[in-house]
Each structure stands twice: as structure tokens, then as C-alpha cells.
């Protein structure tokens, strides 16, 4: 074999060696029972047709590669945004391993979470004992300031009641009676990660606010970022803008430091997060603003019930969306938007104008969470692009209505199509039958890029196969500038590849563009 101590190959070149090619070919022939190559080719070609597209889009009983995750993932992410909080998932170890690995692979940081380790006996008799033992172990081993409890499918199917289980665990001495253990029921078989996020944030606020007297502090604002794979860069950019304005605010669920810990010789199981005392004091804010409406519907309802004014946005990215967010903050806080920020806005507009000739008329397919798809479509239209396909597997009928209104507001959205509840296998048919110039989404889109040849821009959670994108903002004017640059780089890279053949296509292999 080619691998030896003197010649160590990475897996990519290693598996291209003749010995491995032969081994893999024999494995396919002897164990995979393959169909003849012509049948495979015919089926592959069929999946590129309009005929197949109609059958594909008519699917109801099967989901293939959905652009979403399950509720408990959102709850685990939400818990990571609070001070010294350990996420405790009432369910099996395998489920929790998935949530931890998903977050760790995206952020390239450890993601701490524990489970009640439910197995077959707990599925029959209930998971109370697992809860009692699990909370005790979590409290003693990991020294948290708060334990945030969520559920998986198993606990929800058998009907375990978290409120009573936690009370029983406290009565048995698992944790002190006054120790903070907020919870949220997050069944993984309905909704998506954005609903789990919403449930956990609401559970934390309700835990600290219920029964407390509210004393409104005029001009103060709570900000809820929502489930955001770019929280590291976005939250810091958000705080920078609010500090420049002189606003009194609390970012509720701030995971920016937790998922960006420094390498300085000290391991931090917990870092940053919204302080517990600040969560308690946030009850007195005049208003709570959500940066992602579909991530926080129940939470905003609760904030409204306690007497706060509420407003929500759809991932403020680009010029107009950032304008609306900052003007709302200014109106509530009474603080003017300073010249520094106004200049940043002008620089983004200038950059968009500088590159307008390369962006105008480009067609895009966008997929991801409802708020992100809305924001990205809006920004694309600001650049003169056309958001041809807008797909959100966890998009609702209300989202469809909002998207129709948004797209109808611009001449660049007139031919756009909205796909709520569809998956990435449906997107594959769309890209073959109605091709676009660029695809925007997460790492799972690389298979669409390979199959259809549509260049992928990674701007959505999760991003597994690229590093450190999440450290830079997408929101605000500075974030908009980064998104603009990312899109342009992909356009120019594609153009270079298409014009690089010496003496054949290199008449457009330009040095200056």
C-alpha cells in the first residue's frame, strides 16, 4: 500500500492511489449490488427534467435533506447564551451527541451539554429517576449557575412533565430548592430548531420574571438575536452599534463569547453569556426587540403580556433592514443615530454602486431559516439581483405572505418563487429546471453545487466545511459590506475559472474588473 512512515498521504490523495481505487471498485461490485451504469445514467438524467420536478415537488410523505434541524438543537444553543448555564436535555445520549457535534463542528469550539441518558426502561416507566440523578450529577460535576432543561422525542412521546420532574428532583436534594432550573418542552418531531430556541428563551424569561413586579425604565431595550450561526460576529457588531448610539440595552441570550473562547492556556466550560442579574432586570425594559421574528414568536407574546412594547425584524442585513432596526432603536431610546454610523451606511451604499455592473440581473437561489431567507432576498434586490428561488423548509404560511409582499415591492422580485416546507432535494430540481447564477445557504448545499454546477455561497448555519466565517458579522452596514464582498468574490472566482484556458477563453481573464 502507498501509505508508510516515510510517505504519509492525506486521505484525499491516498484514496486516489491505484490500490485503493481497485479495493473500492471491488467493494462496490461485490457488496453494493449496483445497477448497470446505463440505468444509473438514465435515472440521473431523468432527475434533471421538468417531468421529475413535478413529481418531486408533489412529495408529501417523504423529506429528503431538509434545510432545518430539530427543536432541542435550538434549545441547547439558546442555553449557551446565558451566564454559566449548562444545557440538560431530558432524553438519550445519542440525541445530545448530535446537538453538541452540530454546534462544535460549526463554531470549532467545544459545545457543552448533558443528557438524562434515557434508555428502554425509562421509555417504559418514565424518566423521573434519570432526571433526579442527572440534575444531581450536573450540579456537582460542572458547577453551573443555572441548568436549562429541554426534551427530546422520547421524553415527549411518553409524556414526561418537566415542571413536576424538576420539583421532585429538588425535593430529593438533586439541586438546592432555590437553584435556577428553567425548562422548555421541545419535541423534536414537530417544528424546528427555531421553535426550540423560542421555547427555551421564553422558558428562561418566564422563570425569572413570573411573579415579579415590573418597574419600567424608560428608553431601555432588550435585544433577542435569535438562533444565529453568525452570533459571534453579529452580536459584537450589534453591541458596537448600540454603544455608539449610547443606548441602554440588554442582549438576551448572547452566545458570542461562549462560541469564541481564546486559546490562552485556560479551558472555559462557560464564557460570557447574558448575566443572570441582567436577565432579571430585563423585565423592567421599556421594549423588547427581536432580530428574528420567526425565532421568537412565543417569547415576544410573553414580553407583551408582562407589559413591554415589542417589535421584530427579519435578520437586519443590508441597507434598508439596518435602517429600520436602528431607527426603531432610536425612537424607543431617544438616542440619535450618530454621524459615525451614518458614514458606515454611506460606505455600504457606495460599495454597492461601485460593483453594480457585476451584480445587476444576477439570479439567486436562497435557502435556510425564514428570517434569513427574507433578509437575504431583500439584500439581493438592493444590489439589483433577482431572488429566483426562496426556500425555507421551516417556513410557514405567514412567512409566505410576508415574502410575497416583500418580493412584490421590487421589480427584481417579480419573477421570484417562494417554497415553504420544501427540502434541498426539491431545490435540486429547481436548479436543474430553472438555473440561477448563485446559491446561498449552508454547507449542505455543496452537494447541490456538485450536481448542478451552481456556485454556493455559505452564509447560513451550519457551515462545517469552511472555517471561521461565523467570526465576522452579516448584520448591520458592516455585515452588509462583508456579504457584498463574499458574493462578488464568488462571481469573480467563477469568471476566472471560465476564462482561464490559454489561447481559448483567456481573452476575458482580466487583471482589472
Amino acid at each position: 500500500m502507498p501509505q508508510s512512515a516515510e510517505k504519509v498521504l492525506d486521505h484525499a490523495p491516498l484514496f486516489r492511489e491505484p490500490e485503493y481505487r481497485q479495493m473500492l471498485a471491488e467493494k462496490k461490485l461485490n457488496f453494493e449490488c449496483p445497477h448497470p451504469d446505463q440505468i444509473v445514467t438514465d435515472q440521473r438524467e431523468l432527475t434533471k427534467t421538468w417531468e421529475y420536478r413535478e413529481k418531486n415537488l408533489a412529495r408529501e410523505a417523504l423529506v429528503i435533506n431538509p434545510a432545518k434541524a430539530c427543536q432541542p438543537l435550538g434549545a441547547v444553543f439558546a442555553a449557551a447564551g446565558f451566564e454559566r448555564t449548562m444545557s440538560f436535555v431530558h432524553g438519550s445520549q445519542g440525541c445530545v451527541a448530535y446537538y453538541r457535534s452540530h454546534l462544535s463542528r460549526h463554531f470549532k469550539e467545544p459545545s457543552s451539554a448533558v443528557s438524562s441518558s434515557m434508555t428502554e426502561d425509562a421509555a417504559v416507566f418514565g424518566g423521573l429517576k434519570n432526571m433526579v440523578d442527572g440534575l444531581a450529577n450536573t450540579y456537582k460535576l460542572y458547577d453551573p449557575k443555572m441548568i436549562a432543561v429541554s426534551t427530546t422525542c422520547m421524553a415527549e412521546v411518553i409524556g414526561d412533565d418537566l415542571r413536576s420532574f424538576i420539583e421532585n428532583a429538588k425535593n430529593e436534594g438533586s439541586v438546592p430548592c432555590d437553584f435556577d432550573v428553567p425548562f422548555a418542552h421541545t419535541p423534536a418531531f414537530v417544528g424546528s430548531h427555531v421553535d426550540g430556541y423560542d421555547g427555551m428563551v421564553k422558558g428562561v424569561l418566564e422563570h425569572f420574571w413570573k411573579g415579579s413586579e415590573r418597574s419600567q425604565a424608560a428608553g431601555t431595550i432588550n435585544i433577542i438575536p435569535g438562533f444565529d450561526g453568525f452570533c459571534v460576529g453579529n452580536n459584537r457588531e450589534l453591541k458596537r452599534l448600540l454603544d455608539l448610539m449610547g443606548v441602554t440595552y440588554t442582549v438576551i441570550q448572547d452566545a458570542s463569547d461562549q462560541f469564541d473562547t481564546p486559546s490562552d492556556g485556560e479551558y472555559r466550560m462557560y464564557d460570557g453569556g447574558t448575566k443572570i442579574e441582567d436577565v432579571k432586570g430585563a423585565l423592567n425594559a421599556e421594549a423588547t426587540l427581536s432580530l428574528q421574528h420567526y425565532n421568537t414568536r412565543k417569547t415576544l407574546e410573553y414580553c407583551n403580556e408582562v407589559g413591554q412594547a415589542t417589535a421584530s425584524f427579519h435578520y437586519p442585513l443590508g441597507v434598508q433592514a439596518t435602517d429600520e432596526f436602528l431607527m426603531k432603536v432610536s425612537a424607543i431610546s431617544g438616542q440619535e443615530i450618530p454621524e459615525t454610523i451614518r458614514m458606515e451606511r454611506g460606505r455600504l451604499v457606495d460599495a454597492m454602486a461601485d460593483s453594480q455592473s457585476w451584480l445587476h440581473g444576477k439570479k439567486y437561489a436562497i435557502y435556510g431559516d425564514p428570517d434569513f431567507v427574507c433578509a437575504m432576498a431583500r439584500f439581493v434586490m438592493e444590489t439589483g439581483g433577482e431572488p429566483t428561488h426562496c426556500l425555507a423548509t421551516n417556513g410557514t404560511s405567514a412567512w409566505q405572505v410576508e415574502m410575497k409582499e416583500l418580493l412584490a415591492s421590487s421589480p427584481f422580485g417579480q419573477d421570484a418563487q417562494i417554497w415553504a416546507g420544501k427540502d434541498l432535494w426539491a431545490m435540486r430540481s429547481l436548479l436543474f429546471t430553472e438555473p440561477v447564477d448563485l446559491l446561498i445557504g449552508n454547507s449542505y448545499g455543496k452537494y447541490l453545487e456538485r450536481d448542478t454546477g451552481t456556485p454556493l455561497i455559505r452564509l447560513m448555519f451550519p457551515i462545517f466545511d469552511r472555517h471561521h466565517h461565523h467570526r465576522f458579522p452579516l448584520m448591520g452596514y458592516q455585515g452588509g459590506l462583508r456579504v457584498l464582498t463574499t458574493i462578488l468574490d464568488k462571481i469573480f472566482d467563477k469568471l476566472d475559472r471560465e476564462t482561464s484556458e490559454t489561447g481559448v477563453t483567456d481573452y476575458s481573464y482580466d487583471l482589472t474588473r
Side-chain angles (χ1 to χ4, degrees):
M1 302 297 276
Q3 191 76 291
S4 67
E6 290 74 29
K7 183 184 178 183
V8 177
L9 299 178
D10 183 64
H11 66 89
L14 178 64
F15 290 136
R16 289 196 290 266
E17 292 290 320
E19 296 91 338
Y20 279 96
R21 288 179 180 272
Q22 181 180 351
M23 180 183 70
L24 294 172
E26 290 177 353
K27 177 183 176 183
K28 180 178 181 180
L29 180 64
N30 296 325
F31 300 106
E32 295 182 11
C33 303
H35 289 287
D37 290 343
Q38 188 59 51
I39 292 179
V40 174
T41 299
D42 291 345
Q43 289 299 312
R44 182 184 296 117
E45 292 305 310
L46 173 64
T47 63
K48 301 176 182 179
T49 64
W50 277 89
E51 176 189 358
Y52 181 81
R53 165 179 162 152
E54 296 307 313
K55 294 178 180 179
N56 192 2
L57 294 176
R59 270 187 296 120
E60 295 181 355
L62 175 68
V63 177
I64 305 173
N65 202 5
K68 66 170 186 174
C70 59
Q71 283 206 48
L73 174 67
V76 171
F77 175 82
F82 295 96
E83 178 190 15
R84 293 189 66 84
T85 297
M86 178 58 72
S87 183
F88 182 105
V89 185
H90 187 44
S92 69
Q93 291 180 349
C95 292
V96 181
Y98 156 63
Y99 315 138
R100 293 179 60 186
S101 65
H102 228 57
L103 294 169
S104 296
R105 289 168 178 168
H106 173 85
F107 290 109
K108 312 305 178 193
E109 294 282 349
S111 176
S112 299
V114 299
S115 83
S116 57
S117 302
M118 292 176 67
T119 53
E120 290 84 350
D121 58 340
V124 175
F125 301 109
L128 177 57
K129 185 178 185 303
N130 299 69
M131 178 72 73
V132 172
D133 293 342
L135 287 178
N137 290 336
T138 304
Y139 181 74
K140 292 174 182 177
L141 291 174
Y142 303 114
D143 189 30
K145 195 166 186 177
M146 180 168 76
I147 300 174
V149 180
S150 54
T151 53
T152 65
C153 297
M154 183 187 297
E156 290 295 327
V157 168
I158 63 178
D160 282 359
D161 180 3
L162 291 185
R163 185 184 300 277
S164 64
F165 276 27
I166 292 169
E167 289 178 359
N168 282 324
K170 286 186 173 183
N171 291 337
E172 294 195 28
S174 296
V175 297
C177 289
D178 60 350
F179 187 79
D180 295 314
V181 188
F183 65 89
H185 284 276
T186 53
F189 45 78
V190 295
S192 71
H193 56 285
V194 301
D195 301 292
Y197 177 93
D198 191 9
M200 181 52 74
V201 174
K202 177 179 181 288
V204 171
L205 297 185
E206 193 171 24
H207 173 81
F208 288 108
W209 292 1
K210 192 172 183 179
S212 299
E213 185 176 347
R214 181 170 181 267
S215 177
Q216 180 171 303
T220 58
I221 301 173
N222 297 326
I223 307 287
I224 307 177
F227 188 104
D228 185 9
F230 283 75
C231 66
V232 172
N234 279 340
N235 289 9
R236 290 171 181 168
E237 175 65 10
L238 170 70
K239 289 183 279 188
R240 185 186 71 85
L241 292 171
L242 296 176
D243 289 340
L244 284 173
M245 291 179 64
V247 176
T248 302
Y249 66 92
T250 298
V251 177
I252 293 177
Q253 197 280 313
D254 181 7
S256 56
D257 290 340
Q258 179 64 35
F259 289 121
D260 191 30
T261 58
S263 182
D264 58 0
E266 176 187 350
Y267 171 66
R268 297 166 173 81
M269 179 170 287
Y270 312 101
D271 199 13
T274 308
K275 294 186 179 301
I276 300 302
E277 289 305 311
D278 291 342
V279 176
K280 295 177 181 178
L283 172 62
N284 300 320
E286 179 178 340
T288 292
L289 306 183
S290 166
L291 302 189
Q292 297 191 68
H293 171 76
Y294 291 99
N295 287 240
T296 52
R297 288 165 288 179
K298 293 180 180 178
T299 302
L300 290 183
E301 286 179 8
Y302 178 68
C303 292
N304 194 258
E305 288 173 7
V306 301
Q308 296 176 350
T310 59
S312 59
F313 302 86
H314 298 298
Y315 208 88
L317 184 164
V319 180
Q320 188 174 359
T322 304
D323 289 351
E324 291 172 357
F325 170 68
L326 293 178
M327 286 190 290
K328 187 67 173 181
V329 169
S330 177
I332 296 171
S333 66
Q335 301 293 328
E336 295 292 329
I337 300 173
E339 179 69 8
T340 304
I341 296 178
R342 194 187 71 81
M343 292 292 287
E344 290 181 9
R345 182 187 190 276
R347 292 184 187 113
L348 173 58
V349 173
D350 179 65
M352 293 166 68
D354 289 344
S355 305
Q356 188 269 342
S357 61
W358 292 101
L359 297 167
H360 182 85
K362 286 289 187 289
K363 295 180 182 295
Y364 299 78
I366 306 166
Y367 66 91
D369 291 340
D371 292 291
F372 171 81
V373 174
C374 181
M376 200 67 238
R378 191 178 193 181
F379 181 71
V380 160
M381 292 190 294
E382 286 183 338
T383 69
E386 301 177 18
T388 304
H389 302 298
C390 299
L391 184 149
T393 307
N394 48 358
T396 63
S397 56
W399 174 75
Q400 281 187 296
V401 171
E402 281 196 279
M403 284 297 296
K404 287 180 180 178
E405 292 175 356
L406 170 66
L407 296 167
S409 68
S410 168
F412 301 110
Q414 300 306 307
D415 296 326
Q417 299 175 75
I418 306 161
W419 305 99
K422 299 301 181 182
D423 52 36
L424 295 188
W425 188 251
M427 177 65 87
R428 183 177 180 274
S429 284
L430 300 175
L431 294 178
F432 272 126
T433 53
E434 294 182 89
V436 298
D437 297 297
L438 296 165
L439 174 66
I440 297 177
N442 60 26
S443 285
Y444 288 96
K446 72 184 300 178
Y447 300 103
L448 297 175
E449 182 179 39
R450 181 184 64 182
D451 285 357
T452 69
T454 312
L456 171 65
I457 299 173
R458 296 160 175 82
L459 292 174
M460 181 70 205
F461 178 90
I463 298 175
F464 293 152
D465 60 338
R466 298 292 186 272
H467 289 204
H468 310 305
H469 289 210
H470 65 277
R471 300 179 193 271
F472 302 94
L474 303 184
M475 292 184 183
Y477 304 123
Q478 295 287 73
L481 185 59
R482 177 166 178 78
V483 173
L484 180 74
T485 305
T486 302
I487 293 173
L488 287 166
D489 282 350
K490 185 65 71 170
I491 291 172
F492 294 139
D493 286 344
K494 181 176 183 289
L495 184 56
D496 280 346
R497 287 194 303 272
E498 293 173 346
T499 60
S500 61
E501 190 174 353
T502 305
V504 179
T505 61
D506 63 346
Y507 49 81
S508 292
Y509 194 67
D510 298 325
L511 180 63
T512 304
R513 291 187 172 128

